[in-house]
Amino acid sequence: EAGLELKKELFMALGKTPIIKGDKLFIEPNEWFVPITNKYPALEAEYKRLELENALTNQERNEVLMSIRTRWGGRAELNRQPSVPQTDALTS
């Protein structure tokens, strides 16, 4: 089990002035965390809309999901795989 000092260190990395009210922890976010806090609701809404969209093919859904992931992470996934098999990948 993580000790109290480790927990405190983790919370302080996210923000400052931790306050516990009831069973909830509130912290004032550090500057680097603010853009994540501000942009997350729009990305979450787009992701949830994608889950409900039944008209998309798997390839279209993967492309939209990749777009969401790229905007969330700020860069494309490092280990990207082709969305469809390459027909000439094994030919010599």
Side-chain angles (χ1 to χ4, degrees), residues 64-77:
V64 173
L65 186 56
M66 181 58 70
S67 171
I68 294 169
R69 286 180 179 162
T70 300
R71 282 182 281 139
W72 176 250
R75 59 189 167 91
E77 187 178 334

Side-chain angles (χ1 to χ4, degrees), residues 6-92:
L6 178 58
K7 290 178 182 179
K8 180 180 176 183
E9 186 178 329
L10 290 171
F11 289 132
M12 297 310 289
L14 295 174
K16 50 192 169 219
T17 320
I19 299 171
I20 297 176
K21 291 183 180 178
D23 60 348
K24 293 188 178 186
L25 171 68
F26 298 90
I27 58 172
E28 181 181 338
N30 286 329
E31 290 180 25
W32 64 267
F33 202 64
V34 173
I36 296 170
T37 303
N38 293 340
K39 293 179 181 178
Y40 180 76
L43 287 170
E44 180 183 33
E46 190 172 351
Y47 181 78
K48 285 184 177 182
R49 182 183 54 80
L50 177 63
E51 287 181 332
L52 298 174
E53 182 63 55
N54 293 326
L56 296 175
T57 65
N58 282 341
Q59 183 175 354
E60 291 170 332
R61 186 180 312 278
N62 287 340
E63 288 172 3
V64 173
L65 186 56
M66 181 58 70
S67 171
I68 294 169
R69 286 180 179 162
T70 300
R71 282 182 281 139
W72 176 250
R75 59 189 167 91
E77 187 178 334
L78 296 176
N79 191 19
R80 289 184 67 179
Q81 301 294 319
S83 57
V84 294
Q86 301 286 329
T87 56
D88 62 347
L90 299 176
T91 61
S92 50

